Amino acid sequence: MEFAFFLFVNPTSGGNRAGVYLQLDAETIKFNLNQKPINVFFTSLHQKDQVEMNLRRIKEFQQRNVQVRVIVCGGDGTVMWVVDEMHKHSVDFKNCPIGIIPFGTGNDFSRVLGWGGDTDGDLGACLRNFKQQISQWLNAKIHDFDLWEINICVDMQTGSFKRIKKQGDLYQKEVLQKDKDVLKQLDKRMSNYFSIGVDARIGYGFDKKRTQSACCNKCVYFCEGLKKMCLKNPTTNQVISGMQILKEQNVTVEQINNIPTDILFKTKGANTREDQQPLNESKFILSGDPITLLCLNIQSYSGGAGAIWDNCRGKVAVKEGTQKLQDKFVPQDFGDGKIEFVGFNSMIGMANERFIHGNAVRIAQGEGPFLISFKKNVSPYFQIDGEYFQAVNPTFALLKKSSIRIKVLMKTQN
């Protein structure tokens, strides 16, 4: 059986360390490993022609029934970059499992697949270490992995989206635009997690001071967290009106007002938006006052806070009237078609989660689509897979399953 490994390298990941896989002075290498013919193709994601050429090769190999594996050399954001390119070129995801060599800052995608949170990038003498990696990919377990789509809309007159963008040597705020007009709807695909709250505010501040060193970036992030602890941060009750689950799949933003829903929770305080009045009549109330609403597709968050959902078993944050709901949720699995929502009631609890488990509270679990409604005149921070934004006067966020479902390589113990 013949195998073809396509390495898509983001050379700037990990403080430019990922570029070591492009320094072999060869676009292709061939050898036998464990009596299997192996073809390895190296692709720089910064070279558009090279990317397109190797995506065409993948499709050709698939037609010949060659066992194709795509390996991403980079961080979590690079994974979705490669997935988007594969989708654009109509690559068959069912026969093309994806693995990763982690070079990012958080590397949560890599952690849940068993490949760890970092790599030294040492290929070894005569590529010995690299061949060991290939051997591990050959023995890896193939697992389904869900992807999700997020559509966030802001007020058509006063709304906007902001992010931090590098301009020369400086990082500055940028108002997102589309066709030279202010962007009113942000559409993103998600693999790991999505959140609204103080964690995204910390990340937004971190983006202003991001460095080329993964180690320095962790220090910068820590300092931003300490700084935000000294500030007054808007909470979920102040920003979000509530959350509903739509009773039909494959809905669009234009259709949501015509689709029946079940209300999962409303927050405390009156909702002044006329189109969201049914939330005020609901008996399901979010208890406490979370500083962050966190939506998790995987069991790793923010660079290694693991199994948040499973560790807060029995802690349900939604009440029906005065009665707290029973915990009838199931364990988390990134390939089961469900997604999980949790909250943190304090910054200390959120920071301690990686050391002392069980600080979160369970809010919801399901297949969606989910509709999150916002209160008037708010400007919350949010993040999608570690990409940070601020929304000015948002109206709602729609979270639904992506039409794309990928397969991934999970490291086996042997």
Side-chain angles (χ1 to χ4, degrees), residues 25 51 60 99 134 173-175 189 225 256 268 270 276 331 367 371 402:
D25 198 25
V51 171
E60 292 170 1
I134 294 175
K173 287 184 181 180
E174 172 193 47
V175 176
R189 194 172 283 120
I256 59 174
K268 299 171 185 175
Q276 299 173 4
E367 298 180 4
L371 182 66
S402 173

Side-chain angles (χ1 to χ4, degrees), residues 252-413:
T252 64
V253 167
E254 292 75 20
Q255 296 172 330
I256 59 174
N257 291 328
N258 302 318
I259 295 176
T261 67
D262 286 329
I263 295 176
L264 295 173
F265 70 83
K266 68 176 182 180
T267 57
K268 299 171 185 175
N271 180 20
T272 56
R273 290 188 185 273
E274 294 180 0
D275 59 341
Q276 299 173 4
Q277 283 306 312
L279 286 170
N280 285 336
E281 302 169 4
S282 174
K283 296 180 180 179
F284 296 99
I285 303 171
L286 182 67
S287 62
D289 194 11
I291 58 167
T292 288
L293 176 67
L294 175 58
C295 171
L296 290 165
N297 188 45
I298 63 173
Q299 294 193 32
S300 182
Y301 168 69
S302 190
I308 295 175
W309 174 261
D310 291 344
N311 286 330
C312 60
R313 187 182 300 110
K315 298 180 179 181
V316 181
V318 178
K319 294 181 178 181
E320 185 176 5
T322 59
Q323 187 70 32
K324 186 171 289 189
L325 297 183
Q326 291 185 349
D327 189 343
K328 297 182 179 180
F329 301 118
V330 300
Q332 187 176 34
D333 183 338
F334 53 63
D336 64 356
K338 295 183 178 69
I339 201 158
E340 290 73 31
F341 291 83
V342 301
F344 284 98
N345 287 315
S346 72
M347 286 189 66
I348 293 176
M350 187 173 67
N352 283 342
E353 181 63 29
R354 66 185 65 240
F355 309 111
I356 304 173
H357 304 313
N359 296 285
V361 289
R362 291 181 171 185
I363 295 174
Q365 181 188 52
E367 298 180 4
F370 297 95
L371 182 66
I372 300 172
S373 303
F374 292 94
K375 294 185 175 179
K376 274 189 173 181
N377 302 319
V378 295
S379 298
Y381 296 88
F382 67 95
Q383 60 99 0
I384 303 171
D385 287 345
E387 189 175 1
Y388 303 99
F389 302 88
Q390 184 180 23
V392 178
N393 291 334
T395 53
F396 65 84
L398 176 65
L399 174 67
K400 60 184 179 181
K401 289 181 191 175
S402 173
S403 59
I404 300 173
R405 197 182 197 209
I406 64 175
K407 292 185 180 293
V408 294
L409 297 176
M410 295 188 66
K411 188 176 181 179
T412 56
Q413 293 302 318

Side-chain angles (χ1 to χ4, degrees), residues 120-132:
D120 57 15
D122 181 12
L123 301 183
C126 300
L127 300 182
R128 180 179 178 181
N129 294 347
F130 182 51
K131 289 179 180 179
Q132 287 179 346

Side-chain angles (χ1 to χ4, degrees), residues 157-175:
Q157 279 73 45
T158 61
S160 64
F161 295 98
K162 298 178 182 178
R163 70 177 175 188
I164 303 300
K165 183 178 181 181
K166 187 174 184 180
Q167 297 178 343
D169 294 331
L170 301 176
Y171 289 93
Q172 297 180 342
K173 287 184 181 180
E174 172 193 47
V175 176

